[in-house]
Amino acid sequence: MKYLTVLAAIVVLFAVEGCEEKPITYNDLNAPFSTDTLVTHSITGYTYMTPPEFGGNKRLYLGRQNGFEIPLTLLAFESVSNSITMSNLLDSAITIDSVHIQLTSSDSAFTSAPFSLYYFPESGESFFTEVGTTYLDGIIEEVENKAVLIGDSSIVQLNDTLNPVLLFDFPVALFTGFIDTSANNTNRTVMIKPASDFDGLATFYSEESSFNPLLAVFYTVADSDSVISKQVSFKPLHDLSVVRPLGDTNANDFNYWTLNSARQLKTIIQINLDSLGLPEQAILTKADLFISVFDSQDSSFNLQLLTLSEAAEDTQSVYDLDPFTSYTSQSTTLNGTVKDGIVVFNMNRIIQSMHMGAIDNFGFKLISKSASPFDIIHFYSPEDTSYDPYLEVVYVSE
Amino acid sequence: MYRSKILVPLFLIGLISAQSLMNSYGLGQLNLSYGTAALGNGSSYLTPSFSEGVSLGNPATWKNLNFTYIHTGYDEQRISFDNGEVSETSGLNRAQFIVPFKAKYAFGLSLNPYTYRQSELTTAVEDFENLITYKTEGGINALTPSIGVKVSEFESIGFSYSFLFGSSRLLKSMVLDSVMYAQASRLDHSGSTMDFYIQSDRFGGEKTDLSLYGHVGITIKPVDVTQYKYYLYQDNDGSGHHNSSNIALYSDFPYPGSVPPPDTVRMNNTYTPFSFNVGFNYASASRWNLTGGIGFVNNNYSLAYKECSPLQDALSNQMHIQIGVNRFSRKVVRKWTDRFSFRSGLFSNRYHLENSENSIIENGIAIGFGFIFGITKNQIDLSFQMGYRSGLPEIGNETFSKFSIGLSLGDIWFIKRREL
């Protein structure tokens, strides 16, 4: 037993290995990896269109541009602001002094204001939504029949640091009826229309932005001793500019890859990655998708590429509802800008993930991210043999 | 009296091979060390080196043991290269358990490294670009049950069956465009071999003993290799492992969790060795022993496996020659000097590379001492070996030295007790 104890102690002592290793210099080693470049033109795609979506836009528009007209903008106001409800303002102790509606222009040089304000005293509850209401629903014709004129606008500069403000006075007599919930008018909705001869485009901040429209009420409260002047401002609950295209789509819109927000023209792209012939184990150092612009004018158009997470079941030109709304994670969404007539998307990580099978290759969707929803751009499609889109991949493998 | 009925699980095998270019060929370098005592005799496992008439590596000689032994050894090895680089490592080399029975039979079990694959080869570049590194580690182990049987007055035979198992790792890396790319593989090995031993004392005289020894090793199941090739990656943190980091700059690409499972490549019949050895031991009346032996190993590597080794080459065969002089401790100890054993040897190995058809020559000398103590002839051995290898491609020469210490603890088993 004594010897076993000694043996065990020796084993434990020697169980710790001593090692001091430096690499052996050997120059005649075969290179285990190499780099190569592959290009594929095996890309298909098509342009499709869905009804316009302006709800949730950070801007409101009035006027016309690039084959579109915006004949009206609707605003439905909240009934509560800082615990003060509109119906509170009907209290006998309160005297409403003045009411106005203001929209802040997104153009610092805004000077022309041929706009009129309307309301809907006989229309009951709200009759539009930000998501879903489009010119296709007949909203333009519906409001034309129901709207009652309040007055015309003016432009004011509230201070030197803010952009000009479009201002409408809301007569107090009309306003009390506007907020009286016992009347058949609970929509709290107003409409702004440009003059029929207004040929430009006016842009304002919407309720999704920091300089949202306001319905400002100036009033006084009388108590036994004094009269106190107060103000309350109500923000819009919904606002929407109704956009209507002037004329049908251009023949090029569906012959090329076309992007436009106002008409909701989008493009689906499918890339056949098997045509690349990548080795099973490969690291992509570069995977660039090149798309050439068809339009002749110089453009720095912004667009976005989204990676689809579901397969397209059919291919149509026009959909009532966009069927391609399921995407993979945010990391597979790419932003691109046209420069010198071409846009290049760095799809390295996306193609790498598809090659490894981490995500499925259901294709991609291109959408416009131009500042103006009325900007339109056409790209060459795969049918053009000179400027067709292609994917260039640089990889490292054994 | 039984000292112990419990087999001490001494399955502690450490990686004891310093990296050598030899480890980069084929399966790696074969382990020719059969314990400290054999090391001091010039790495001869066939002829007696442990004690008089006994070699721990030859089951046919175990019948001459008087006690049950547990043996283990510790090696410290150093290799120097012509360019001044040095590699050192140390660790346990073997665990063995031998039980003799009635001076006629013996059973043993051993666990030891079969091959060594530890090596790291790198190119010398000035600016880090195109730096290539191959790193291997691990190797094959052998679990070997053995039996020895005295079959006649002069002859004894022995059998060993080795279960070969274990895994090795291969990491390849290369810098391209200032980015390091790496790929790791794990290779699982399995196979089995059988060894036959024979000893004959038929040619001894009245005052001298001449013993002859023979050995044949054959493959029962050729070594199969399953290679798991992990996905290629950018080793941005230079760790040699495919991992992620909270710091994007140091996170490897692609993300480790998104890569597919490793490719599995099965290579059958990659290694089918055959070995043959003969030796002799001439013992004089003054207890001096002259030993010698010659052996040959034909490795029979498959083409597929050679391509897996960092140098894409393998040792196709090797020849071993050894001659030594020993003087063992007395069986009956009368004075303290009788407890000492002395061993010495000269050895030479010739290795032939299959693809390049180069030959590597290894020559060395060895010296060793042993000391027995206790009633059951416990034994502690010290050995030292040094030599050089020449003909190594690119490297030129390696100078190696190895120091080893072995401990063998004896016990008495299978003694019939007299009832009172």
Side-chain angles (χ1 to χ4, degrees):
Chain A
M1 195 60 186
K2 178 176 66 177
Y3 293 122
L4 288 176
T5 304
V6 170
L7 176 62
I10 293 172
V11 165
V12 169
L13 178 66
F14 290 153
V16 176
E17 297 178 29
C19 184
E20 181 185 321
E21 300 285 359
K22 290 182 181 177
I24 300 172
T25 302
Y26 193 94
N27 288 321
D28 193 21
L29 292 174
N30 290 337
F33 313 120
S34 62
T35 187
D36 199 2
T37 302
L38 296 171
V39 176
T40 182
H41 292 259
S42 186
I43 300 175
T44 57
Y46 63 96
T47 296
Y48 71 101
M49 186 171 71
T50 57
E53 297 171 16
F54 273 81
N57 200 304
K58 289 189 176 179
R59 299 287 185 271
L60 297 171
Y61 304 93
L62 287 166
R64 59 182 62 196
Q65 188 176 64
N66 286 358
F68 296 91
E69 71 164 341
I70 307 94
L72 56 96
T73 289
L74 297 168
L75 299 98
F77 287 94
E78 303 237 14
S79 63
V80 180
S81 175
N82 293 332
S83 74
I84 299 175
T85 66
M86 283 187 177
S87 56
N88 290 155
L89 298 174
L90 296 175
D91 189 283
S92 58
I94 292 175
T95 301
I96 298 174
D97 296 324
S98 64
V99 180
H100 66 246
I101 291 173
Q102 67 182 56
L103 280 76
T104 304
S105 173
S106 63
D107 179 6
S108 61
F110 176 61
T111 56
S112 177
F115 305 109
S116 302
L117 181 70
Y118 298 79
Y119 79 123
F120 305 90
E122 302 296 329
S123 297
E125 295 180 349
S126 178
F127 48 85
F128 82 98
T129 59
E130 279 197 31
V131 178
T133 298
T134 70
Y135 76 96
L136 297 171
D137 303 324
I139 186 67
I140 297 174
E141 295 75 21
E142 180 182 348
V143 300
E144 292 281 2
N145 294 330
K146 298 177 183 178
V148 174
L149 179 67
I150 296 175
D152 295 332
S153 63
S154 60
I155 296 176
V156 296
Q157 189 81 38
L158 294 181
N159 61 52
D160 292 338
T161 60
L162 294 176
N163 286 347
V165 167
L166 186 71
L167 198 71
F168 296 93
D169 283 325
F170 204 136
V172 175
L174 294 180
F175 181 71
T176 51
F178 181 75
I179 63 176
D180 186 354
T181 56
S182 63
N184 185 28
N185 176 30
T186 55
N187 54 69
R188 299 185 303 280
T189 300
V190 297
M191 177 178 71
I192 302 172
K193 288 185 62 174
S196 57
D197 58 351
F198 180 67
D199 202 31
L201 180 71
T203 309
F204 307 95
Y205 291 105
S206 73
E207 62 100 357
E208 283 83 7
S209 68
S210 302
F211 302 101
N212 51 272
L214 290 173
L215 188 155
V217 180
F218 298 87
Y219 64 98
T220 55
V221 180
D223 64 15
S224 58
D225 296 328
S226 60
V227 174
I228 303 170
S229 297
K230 292 189 176 182
Q231 174 193 350
V232 61
S233 295
F234 298 89
K235 297 192 318 183
L237 183 64
H238 309 294
D239 58 11
L240 176 70
S241 291
V242 180
V243 178
R244 176 168 60 188
L246 297 171
D248 295 330
T249 54
N250 190 305
N252 285 338
D253 289 347
F254 293 103
N255 291 334
Y256 294 88
W257 288 358
T258 306
L259 303 180
N260 170 253
S261 288
R263 282 188 191 272
Q264 285 296 296
L265 289 165
K266 293 159 272 197
T267 296
I268 294 296
I269 300 174
Q270 281 166 327
I271 304 175
N272 180 4
L273 295 179
D274 293 337
S275 65
L276 281 169
L278 278 168
E280 206 168 311
Q281 288 200 10
I283 296 294
L284 275 59
T285 59
K286 190 170 86 164
D288 289 340
L289 177 64
F290 293 83
I291 307 175
S292 299
V293 178
F294 167 77
D295 300 324
S296 58
Q297 72 273 19
D298 288 335
S299 171
S300 61
F301 198 96
N302 294 323
L303 56 154
Q304 192 174 66
L305 180 141
L306 302 118
T307 304
L308 298 176
S309 63
E310 288 178 354
E313 294 182 353
D314 57 44
T315 58
Q316 293 175 209
S317 298
V318 180
Y319 294 93
D320 292 335
L321 286 175
D322 193 342
F324 307 107
T325 57
S326 182
Y327 315 113
T328 56
S329 67
Q330 186 66 28
S331 63
T332 59
T333 297
L334 304 175
N335 294 308
T337 301
V338 172
K339 187 178 178 184
D340 298 330
I342 199 165
V343 63
V344 182
F345 285 103
N346 178 1
M347 304 181 70
N348 187 17
R349 290 183 181 263
I350 299 173
I351 302 298
Q352 178 75 61
S353 295
M354 288 180 173
H355 179 64
M356 296 189 304
I359 59 175
D360 292 313
N361 181 12
F362 292 124
F364 309 92
K365 175 177 164 182
L366 285 177
I367 61 173
S368 168
K369 279 296 191 181
S370 182
S372 170
F374 310 106
D375 290 342
I376 190 167
I377 194 164
H378 301 87
F379 295 101
Y380 284 101
S381 71
E383 280 68 39
D384 189 286
T385 55
S386 299
Y387 298 98
D388 60 318
Y390 63 95
L391 177 71
E392 183 181 79
V393 165
V394 180
Y395 69 96
V396 171
S397 71
E398 279 191 293
Chain B
M1 175 180 179
Y2 287 106
R3 282 287 181 86
S4 171
K5 293 183 181 179
I6 300 172
L7 175 64
V8 176
L10 287 176
F11 297 137
L12 293 172
I13 297 295
L15 182 66
I16 61 93
S17 172
Q19 63 166 337
S20 162
L21 196 67
M22 303 290 286
N23 298 352
S24 303
Y25 294 112
L27 271 169
Q29 188 174 16
L30 281 180
N31 177 20
L32 299 178
S33 173
Y34 286 83
T36 302
L39 196 80
N41 195 215
S43 296
S44 169
Y45 64 90
L46 203 58
T47 56
S49 57
F50 177 72
S51 61
E52 190 172 329
V54 177
S55 167
L56 294 183
N58 185 351
T61 67
W62 295 349
K63 68 182 191 307
N64 296 319
L65 287 169
N66 296 320
F67 304 101
T68 296
Y69 279 98
I70 294 173
H71 167 80
T72 188
Y74 174 85
D75 287 358
E76 195 267 335
Q77 185 171 191
R78 176 187 171 99
I79 295 178
S80 304
F81 305 97
D82 276 353
N83 59 7
E85 293 170 345
V86 174
S87 170
E88 292 183 2
T89 193
S90 58
L92 296 179
N93 63 18
R94 189 176 186 86
Q96 189 170 20
F97 173 68
I98 301 174
V99 182
F101 184 62
K102 290 187 175 178
K104 191 175 177 182
Y105 309 101
F107 167 79
L109 185 67
S110 69
L111 180 64
N112 55 270
Y114 185 76
T115 64
Y116 302 113
R117 287 205 83 199
Q118 177 133 338
S119 75
E120 184 173 354
L121 308 176
T122 186
T123 53
V125 294
E126 289 184 359
D127 58 355
F128 198 58
E129 186 64 22
N130 294 322
L131 176 71
I132 298 170
T133 301
Y134 282 85
K135 186 175 181 181
T136 57
E137 50 189 34
I140 302 177
N141 293 314
L143 177 66
T144 306
S146 308
I147 57 171
V149 180
K150 184 174 181 179
V151 294
S152 73
E153 183 182 352
F154 299 109
E155 277 79 31
S156 301
I157 59 174
F159 302 93
S160 295
Y161 191 96
S162 294
F163 299 92
L164 305 179
F165 64 97
S167 69
S168 60
R169 273 75 58 198
L170 171 64
L171 177 70
K172 300 183 281 190
S173 67
M174 182 175 182
V175 176
L176 288 169
D177 294 331
S178 303
V179 176
M180 178 174 285
Y181 295 87
Q183 184 184 53
S185 293
R186 191 184 88 232
L187 298 98
D188 290 346
H189 308 82
S190 67
S192 62
T193 61
M194 182 174 278
D195 296 89
F196 302 91
Y197 303 84
I198 186 167
Q199 175 198 351
S200 176
D201 298 327
R202 189 172 292 275
F203 303 101
E206 282 188 7
K207 294 185 178 178
T208 59
D209 282 325
L210 177 64
S211 300
L212 301 177
Y213 304 87
H215 160 259
V216 171
I218 61 173
T219 300
I220 301 300
K221 178 181 175 299
V223 173
D224 295 335
V225 177
T226 302
Q227 182 182 22
Y228 300 95
K229 195 181 287 188
Y230 295 89
Y231 207 88
L232 179 62
Y233 64 97
Q234 287 180 349
D235 190 8
N236 292 324
D237 60 358
S239 66
H241 301 285
H242 192 180
N243 49 28
S244 61
S245 169
N246 291 332
I247 303 172
L249 186 64
Y250 299 123
S251 192
D252 295 340
F253 178 76
Y255 177 67
S258 65
V259 299
D263 293 338
T264 303
V265 178
R266 299 194 190 280
M267 294 175 277
N268 294 331
N269 303 329
T270 60
Y271 177 62
T272 313
F274 170 80
S275 58
F276 173 78
N277 303 72
V278 292
F280 73 92
N281 184 87
Y282 181 80
S284 70
S286 56
R287 293 174 29 233
W288 286 95
N289 292 260
L290 177 67
T291 71
I294 185 169
F296 177 80
V297 178
N298 189 12
N299 288 315
N300 282 324
Y301 282 104
S302 71
L303 180 65
Y305 195 79
K306 278 184 287 187
E307 293 178 354
C308 282
S309 67
L311 299 177
Q312 298 192 351
D313 204 348
L315 301 171
S316 61
N317 58 66
Q318 60 199 72
M319 180 173 286
H320 172 75
I321 298 173
Q322 170 268 342
I323 188 165
V325 174
N326 303 323
R327 194 169 194 257
F328 298 110
S329 56
R330 277 185 184 275
K331 286 188 176 179
V332 178
V333 175
R334 296 194 182 94
K335 52 191 180 195
W336 66 274
T337 53
D338 292 338
R339 295 182 180 274
F340 284 93
S341 297
F342 168 79
R343 307 174 188 96
S344 65
L346 299 171
F347 61 93
S348 178
N349 293 307
R350 297 286 191 272
Y351 303 91
H352 182 72
L353 289 169
E354 184 151 346
N355 281 356
S356 61
E357 296 190 359
N358 288 335
S359 290
I360 300 169
I361 298 171
E362 178 181 293
N363 297 314
I365 61 172
I367 190 167
F369 299 93
F371 179 79
I372 59 173
F373 58 97
I375 296 174
T376 56
K377 299 284 172 58
N378 305 303
Q379 184 166 317
I380 185 166
D381 296 299
L382 298 169
S383 295
F384 179 76
Q385 199 180 84
M386 63 182 294
Y388 73 91
R389 297 185 190 103
S390 61
L392 292 161
E394 280 257 346
I395 300 294
N397 295 334
E398 287 180 356
T399 304
F400 62 91
S401 61
K402 185 185 285 187
F403 171 77
S404 179
I405 179 168
L407 183 64
S408 304
L409 298 180
D411 199 5
I412 300 174
W413 284 27
F414 303 118
I415 290 182
K416 189 174 181 182
R417 299 184 185 282
R418 190 178 299 172
E419 292 187 4
L420 296 177

